[in-house]
Amino acid sequence: MDVHEYQDIRFSLSDGVAVIELHRPDHLNTYSGRMGVELGDAYRRCDGDDSVRAVVVTGAGKAFCAGADMSAGEDTFAKQDESTFSAAGVDPPAWEVRKPVIAAMNGHAVGIGLTLALQCDMRLAADEGQYGVLQVRRGIMPDGYSHWTLPRLVGTGWAAYILLTGRRVNGKEAAAMGLAMRSLPAVEVLPAALEIAHDIARNTAPLSVAIAKRLLWESLLLSPAEVGRRETELHHHLMGRSDAIEGVMAWLERRAPQWKLSTTKDWPDWPGVDR
């Protein structure tokens, strides 16, 4: 898919930071099948482009994503082809992108709008926003891997509250329970996310970040001993190489680092994976 063909998202790249905007502002950016396909295409582009150092996902207008598009009425959740339907919402999910992905939830994020944000590495919420996974109030069930992501962020108690009641919380409540790192006035959410993203782009080693992100998400399924073994093996992939030298020398010389290692070209054989 050529980026110029995007209809339900917008994509831009500047100074190492990609911004993906969910773009159906007249419908509060409600999710469409096309939006999911386009978002997945944008994620793949970010993963494979070494010039992308961090990704910010946000919404056009007043909302992040107000859930499923229910304009089809009784057919909104009609029976789907069992051989092709996936409840994931997007392929790949944000955690598979080898760059940090920050959800700038500039307004309401409900239903699949929130479950897509839960797939990101970080989330910022708007004080004025409403956040919830409402599917059980619509005769369907939560999606987007939320039964896996949500309890790891907020614990099983709050996850049960969010998933089983379908109730909404405001931005400050979302931050207090761990759904978001911070809650800010809506106009400050995107600038705050961009500040984090640009700091990553300027100051961190891309391969180091990519490896740390992959292991962070993988660690949710590993024992402490398995994490320790992977950390050791991955250190051997980085130690003694150009970025490990450059990071120290740039700090000692009080200058900006010039990284050489590439996420795409220098990616390790991943520990624990049959080769």
Side-chain angles (χ1 to χ4, degrees):
M1 176 180 293
D2 188 280
V3 296
H4 299 295
E5 296 178 0
Y6 290 153
Q7 293 184 13
D8 288 359
I9 71 168
R10 297 291 184 270
F11 182 97
S12 63
L13 175 61
S14 177
D15 297 326
V17 175
V19 176
I20 302 171
E21 181 184 71
L22 308 180
H23 196 86
R24 302 184 73 218
D26 293 341
H27 305 279
L28 296 178
N29 305 318
T30 49
Y31 175 89
S32 67
R34 185 178 184 95
M35 179 183 286
V37 170
E38 292 178 355
L39 181 58
D41 184 83
Y43 279 166
R44 282 187 290 274
R45 176 184 177 185
C46 291
D47 181 73
D49 185 348
D50 282 333
S51 69
V52 177
R53 295 295 323 284
V55 184
V56 173
V57 184
T58 193
K62 296 181 179 180
F64 178 76
C65 174
D69 182 350
M70 294 192 286
S71 60
E74 64 182 19
D75 291 328
T76 298
F77 300 117
K79 181 69 174 176
Q80 300 292 312
D81 184 339
E82 293 185 10
S83 66
T84 59
F85 172 75
S86 169
V90 62
D91 179 31
W95 68 72
E96 290 187 4
V97 179
R98 289 174 294 183
K99 323 291 171 68
V101 182
I102 305 165
M105 300 187 297
N106 55 301
H108 301 331
V110 297
I112 196 169
L114 182 56
T115 61
L116 287 174
L118 295 175
Q119 298 175 12
C120 298
D121 304 299
M122 302 171 233
R123 281 155 300 283
L124 297 175
D127 294 339
E128 304 92 326
Q130 295 289 308
Y131 304 95
V133 183
L134 314 185
Q135 281 88 328
V136 295
R137 297 186 176 219
R138 306 291 182 262
I140 198 70
M141 64 174 289
D143 53 23
Y145 303 95
S146 55
H147 297 84
W148 183 72
T149 56
L150 191 55
R152 286 161 175 80
L153 291 169
V154 302
T156 54
W158 279 122
Y161 176 82
I162 293 165
L163 296 179
L164 306 185
T165 71
R167 297 186 65 177
R168 307 181 190 206
V169 297
N170 62 36
K172 291 183 178 180
E173 291 170 321
M177 66 174 58
L179 269 176
M181 301 186 323
R182 298 168 60 195
S183 182
L184 304 160
V187 296
E188 298 179 17
V189 171
L190 180 57
L194 289 171
E195 182 179 0
I196 296 170
H198 283 291
D199 179 57
I200 292 169
R202 286 191 301 265
N203 296 311
T204 67
L207 185 59
S208 299
V209 169
I211 288 173
K213 169 174 174 169
R214 170 74 177 269
L215 184 56
L216 176 64
W217 280 94
E218 190 178 78
S219 70
L220 301 174
L221 303 175
L222 300 175
S223 71
E226 290 170 325
V227 170
R229 285 192 292 271
R230 281 164 170 74
E231 285 181 345
T232 298
E233 186 169 337
L234 292 164
H235 266 79
H236 287 304
H237 186 73
L238 294 170
M239 290 189 301
R241 301 184 70 182
S242 59
D243 284 1
I245 297 168
E246 173 64 8
V248 173
M249 296 309 298
W251 181 79
L252 289 172
E253 296 169 3
R254 301 296 188 266
R255 60 174 173 78
Q258 301 296 316
W259 310 114
K260 296 292 197 313
L261 297 181
S262 161
T263 300
T264 57
K265 297 176 183 177
D266 299 297
W267 189 250
D269 291 328
W270 198 256
V273 176
D274 292 336
R275 321 200 234 285

